[in-house]
Amino acid sequence: MKKQLILENGEVLIGVGFGADQQMSGEVVFNTGMTGYQEILSDPSYCGQIVTLTYPLIGNYGINRDDFESISPAIHGLIVREVELAPSHWRNEESLDTLLRAKGIPGLSGIDTRKLTRMIREVGTLKGRICSMDVNVDEVVQELKDSAPLQDQVSRVSTKDPYHVPGKGKRVVLVDCGMKHGILLELIERNCDVVVVPYNTSAEEIIRLGADGVLVSNGPGNPQDVPETIQTVKDLLGKVPLFGICLGHQLLALATGATTSKLRFGHRGSNHPIREISTGAIDITAQNHGYTVDHDSLEGTNLIITHIAVNDETVEGLAHKEYPAFSVQYHPEANPGPHDANHLFDQFMTLMNQTQTANVLA
């Protein structure tokens, strides 16, 4: 069945629908990863977005039970050049088409994804709508132009209630702003005793839980839309070791007086090089974010830049000058992507151990 993607700039791209047969709007973004479509579509950081995959063939290895980054995908649509409806792989359990149908997510294939990606790179991310062929295009374009950006994505994808993942090691409180399961898995593999809490949990409650360390997760949207979490991070600084990933990185910056702004088309993919300033070492990283910490705004704060992006020199890592707190803009757990930066979880473990030792000696 023919369907179309209508963009707020008036562009219309016609393709063939798959997945759920329904209309859905969202911010149209692109991801350059060659594999990992299951992890991408289930990453809560894509909440409210229509994701364009630049690799031309998607769905060929199907869907399996192990590669989900969340139970309920929050994307608003998936756009591909070609979709494989009959996957072949020993781990395959269902097709991409059947999964999207079950989750109520529309897909659109047969689209010139190269053209769409070049358009987004030139003019920036665009609001769009996947819909049937019988709609009034001019009316849809006007509705897209008039629609306000979402501001509640984090509350949509964060856990509603705290839950415990028992372990015999350090007690880590994981603030869920749209957490990927890969982050939780990395903590479990290090024997951490993890308590996952909602994004708006207060610092007082986190301290009451007996946290040896706090990890503030990735998540969707504008970091300025979650003032509750910013306040929590501000109140935790100096009281407990803190590690921020992606959105958590931006929240650490905001909590210390820096500012953030929106990138034209964001960083989304599995091959983004970053440089560690102190050593010059290069890591290839997985990234998914549309906002960045403003470089100049860090002057006068207690944060130092530890990593920068090789491609555009945006801020990719921060550390606090006085307190045990650091953050990165990229995803050290990857899923999908290279595991060059996986050592950052070990750095967090070391930070918790050092802080505990210092407290005992004091």
Side-chain angles (χ1 to χ4, degrees):
M1 178 187 299
K2 279 191 174 183
K3 287 193 174 183
Q4 57 186 335
L5 172 69
I6 301 175
L7 299 170
E8 63 176 309
N9 64 353
E11 289 279 349
V12 177
L13 291 89
I14 298 174
V16 178
F18 68 100
D21 183 17
Q22 64 182 59
Q23 174 177 287
M24 202 167 263
S25 302
E27 181 184 42
V28 183
V29 300
F30 65 86
N31 184 294
T32 58
M34 294 177 65
T35 61
Y37 54 80
Q38 182 174 342
E39 294 94 325
I40 290 167
L41 69 90
S42 61
D43 181 349
S45 292
Y46 284 114
C47 178
Q49 295 179 325
I50 296 174
V51 182
T52 304
L53 299 177
T54 62
Y55 190 72
L57 176 60
I58 300 298
N60 54 310
Y61 57 83
I63 299 291
N64 65 76
R65 70 174 192 176
D66 298 321
D67 289 344
F68 288 102
E69 289 299 313
S70 66
I71 295 298
S72 300
I75 66 168
H76 280 195
L78 190 67
I79 296 173
V80 301
R81 180 70 182 91
E82 180 181 353
V83 64
E84 178 54 66
L85 301 178
S88 176
H89 192 272
W90 66 272
R91 296 175 69 209
N92 172 54
E93 295 172 351
E94 66 175 323
S95 71
L96 175 61
D97 178 56
T98 58
L99 173 70
L100 294 186
R101 288 176 185 271
K103 297 297 183 179
I105 300 168
L108 189 60
S109 66
I111 294 296
D112 185 344
T113 52
R114 179 176 175 82
K115 174 183 177 180
L116 179 57
T117 300
R118 288 173 63 89
M119 186 188 309
I120 294 171
R121 285 182 61 88
E122 289 171 6
V123 304
T125 54
L126 293 160
K127 288 178 284 187
R129 182 176 299 172
I130 297 175
C131 51
S132 62
M133 298 298 296
D134 57 0
V135 300
N136 185 302
V137 172
D138 292 335
E139 289 182 1
V140 172
V141 169
Q142 192 59 50
E143 289 173 7
L144 291 171
K145 288 180 178 178
D146 294 341
S147 62
L150 295 178
Q151 294 181 296
D152 64 343
Q153 298 101 309
V154 170
S155 64
R156 293 188 188 190
V157 297
S158 175
T159 182
K160 300 300 182 285
D161 299 294
Y163 60 92
H164 186 204
V165 184
K168 296 183 178 181
K170 296 294 184 186
R171 166 66 63 87
V172 174
V173 175
L174 202 169
V175 181
D176 178 11
C177 297
M179 170 197 70
K180 291 173 64 182
H181 286 173
I183 294 174
L184 181 57
L185 181 61
E186 292 295 338
L187 296 175
I188 292 171
E189 289 184 350
R190 289 163 176 79
N191 298 315
C192 292
D193 184 59
V194 184
V195 180
V196 182
V197 299
Y199 76 100
N200 55 358
T201 304
S202 68
E204 180 183 12
E205 181 60 28
I206 289 172
I207 296 297
R208 185 179 291 115
L209 289 168
D212 294 312
V214 175
L215 195 157
V216 184
S217 83
N218 64 292
N222 186 340
Q224 297 175 42
D225 290 338
V226 280
E228 307 96 327
T229 319
I230 296 170
Q231 186 61 50
T232 294
V233 172
K234 185 182 298 184
D235 293 341
L236 286 171
L237 284 171
K239 297 178 181 177
V240 63
L242 190 145
F243 180 21
I245 293 177
C246 202
L247 181 65
H249 161 83
Q250 298 161 7
L251 297 175
L252 174 62
L254 291 170
T256 54
T259 61
T260 57
S261 58
K262 189 170 185 178
L263 295 166
R264 180 158 44 153
F265 50 81
H267 298 164
R268 298 176 180 89
S270 304
N271 61 346
H272 290 261
I274 62 95
R275 178 185 292 111
E276 184 176 20
I277 293 175
S278 63
T279 65
I282 303 294
D283 282 344
I284 305 301
T285 67
Q287 302 203 9
N288 175 15
H289 61 101
Y291 288 79
T292 185
V293 175
D294 297 321
H295 188 287
D296 293 343
S297 73
L298 292 164
E299 188 173 346
T301 71
N302 282 320
L303 295 176
I304 59 172
I305 300 173
T306 58
H307 300 77
I308 60 169
V310 173
N311 292 336
D312 60 9
E313 297 189 340
T314 50
V315 178
E316 290 283 343
L318 296 168
H320 202 281
K321 296 177 183 177
E322 300 177 21
Y323 302 137
F326 72 103
S327 64
V328 291
Q329 181 63 83
Y330 47 94
H331 286 262
E333 84 289 345
N335 292 5
H339 293 104
D340 295 25
N342 192 262
H343 62 89
L344 291 171
F345 289 100
D346 297 322
Q347 181 178 325
F348 181 45
M349 299 298 296
T350 299
L351 191 62
M352 287 189 286
N353 287 327
Q354 290 174 341
T355 302
Q356 185 179 48
T357 300
N359 289 339
V360 170
L361 293 176

